[in-house]
Amino acid sequence: MKVPLSRPEINRDDINAVVSVMRSPYLSTGPRVSQFECLFARYIGARHAIAVSSGTAGLHLCVRSLNIGEGDEVITTPFSFVASSNCLLFERSIPRFVDILPSTLCIDPEKVESAITSKTKAILAVDVFGHPADWDALGHLARKYGLHLIEDACESLGSKYKGKLCGTFGDCAVFAFYPNKQMTTGEGGMIVTKREEIARISRSLRNQGRSEGDQWLVHERLGYNYRLSDLSCALGISQLSRIDEILKKRSVVALYYNEILSDFGEFVSVPLVQKEAEISWFVYVVRLSDDFSQADRDEVLRILRAKGIGCSNYFPPIHVQPFYKTTFGYKPGDFPIAEAIASRTIALPFFSSLSRSNAEFVCGELREAIAKLKANRHE
Ligand SMILES: *Cc1c(COP(=O)(O)O)cnc(C)c1O
């Protein structure tokens, strides 16, 4: 690949931080874990932060901590990474998908309200591609109907909705630190919550169901090993210490793309940012206009990859994933807005060190790929 789809930003301080843990006696369950949690909680403005082994693990523990289980319905979005819905299936709870708003690509609160039944226990909303969901409307519904509200903030570290940081809106929220996210710990995630009970149960569940205190072999509940090691936490501390700088670089890259693509208007639309939102860029996803088909989009991806450009179709809707189709009988057409958007998205290379000339190269090849499609059509 000449320009990869993503690339983590690792500097000398990050490397030194990890190496210093390797020279210490505490590779896991040591002092870096609570240090990372304290610093992260302070950054978000959350009362509690619980480090876990992945974003998926964090979502699973939120579901468990809220006692969402067999037969309970949770209203969520089909336009997301599959983990935001799988975490419900782990506990035999039922995802009730509703369609999205074309403006933000996040769940549509009006459709959420129509989907609420006596079995509904929670709303699980995702800040898609870093754009905050409509948290005022969702919070209002959660209070009105007595539902839990879970924020999947795995793509929105540093984003703001009406001036408040993402991760502060629900009963609990989850961040993720896979290497393609805004900051990384290799693998890793973080639950944040203002609720003491959720924090306490999540801490126990991530550590084999142990209670607090130091009785290492007393297991109060069915737990997991969802711990994050001190090696990962040291990397997290180092990355978090320059998060503003990292996010600034990413927003500069988004600006390059916005500028270069400004005269592609007829064929490609760039990401929209609503006026109530400040976005922390996770990915840069453009959309081909409506006269292109999914096959056209797939052809553009193929052409770009052949030129050494990393790109992807973020995200194929969850309800048409093979496992969901066979388990729940979903079919194309069930969530038409999510499907129409998903069939035309192209995630372009996006990372903090992407240069202006990289962006120009990518957009030049995108322009040529589109021109080729149009020429073929007129043959
Ligand atoms: C990245 C991501 C997750 C969790 O990812 P992990 O790989 O488990 O850390 C969950 N939900 C969304 C929307 C994501 O983008």
Side-chain angles (χ1 to χ4, degrees), residues 48-50 61 64-65 67 191 193-207 209-213 220-221:
H48 308 278
I50 301 95
L61 294 192
R64 277 280 313 261
S65 300
N67 251 320
I191 300 169
T193 180
K194 47 183 165 299
R195 289 180 46 187
E196 162 73 28
E197 178 82 349
I198 295 177
R200 194 173 53 77
I201 296 173
S202 295
R203 279 185 204 289
S204 167
L205 289 172
R206 79 164 166 190
N207 192 16
R210 293 181 169 103
S211 51
E212 300 109 293
E220 282 196 350
R221 42 179 77 80

Side-chain angles (χ1 to χ4, degrees), residues 296-325:
D296 291 334
R297 188 279 309 274
D298 294 344
E299 179 65 6
V300 172
L301 292 176
R302 205 191 53 73
I303 294 172
L304 292 179
R305 285 177 188 142
K307 300 278 183 180
I309 295 170
C311 52
S312 189
N313 56 328
Y314 288 167
F315 281 111
I318 297 173
H319 68 283
V320 293
Q321 292 292 346
F323 180 75
Y324 281 77
K325 281 204 286 194

Side-chain angles (χ1 to χ4, degrees), residues 132-198:
D134 185 350
W135 291 108
D136 274 356
L138 295 170
H140 172 76
L141 289 176
R143 283 189 300 276
K144 181 169 167 190
Y145 294 95
L147 306 175
H148 301 303
L149 186 56
I150 304 172
E151 180 176 6
D152 180 339
C154 290
E155 302 179 358
S156 61
L157 177 66
S159 291
K160 288 181 179 168
Y161 172 81
K162 299 190 176 172
K164 279 188 68 189
L165 277 173
C166 283
T168 56
F169 299 110
D171 294 274
C172 47
V174 177
F175 292 91
F177 309 127
Y178 188 73
N180 71 336
K181 310 282 182 183
Q182 286 92 329
M183 63 167 268
T184 187
T185 59
E187 295 280 359
M190 190 74 82
I191 300 169
V192 293
T193 180
K194 47 183 165 299
R195 289 180 46 187
E196 162 73 28
E197 178 82 349
I198 295 177

Side-chain angles (χ1 to χ4, degrees), residues 53-57 59 80-84 126-127 152 154-155 175-178 180-181 187-189 282 315:
S53 53
S54 70
T56 307
L59 289 166
S80 175
F81 181 60
V82 71
S84 65
V126 181
D127 300 313
D152 180 339
C154 290
E155 302 179 358
F175 292 91
F177 309 127
Y178 188 73
N180 71 336
K181 310 282 182 183
E187 295 280 359
F282 163 52
F315 281 111

Side-chain angles (χ1 to χ4, degrees), residues 89-104:
L89 301 190
F90 297 160
E91 294 304 320
R92 301 184 182 283
S93 134
I94 304 154
R96 284 283 170 235
F97 294 123
V98 301
D99 218 335
I100 58 172
L101 292 165
S103 51
T104 63

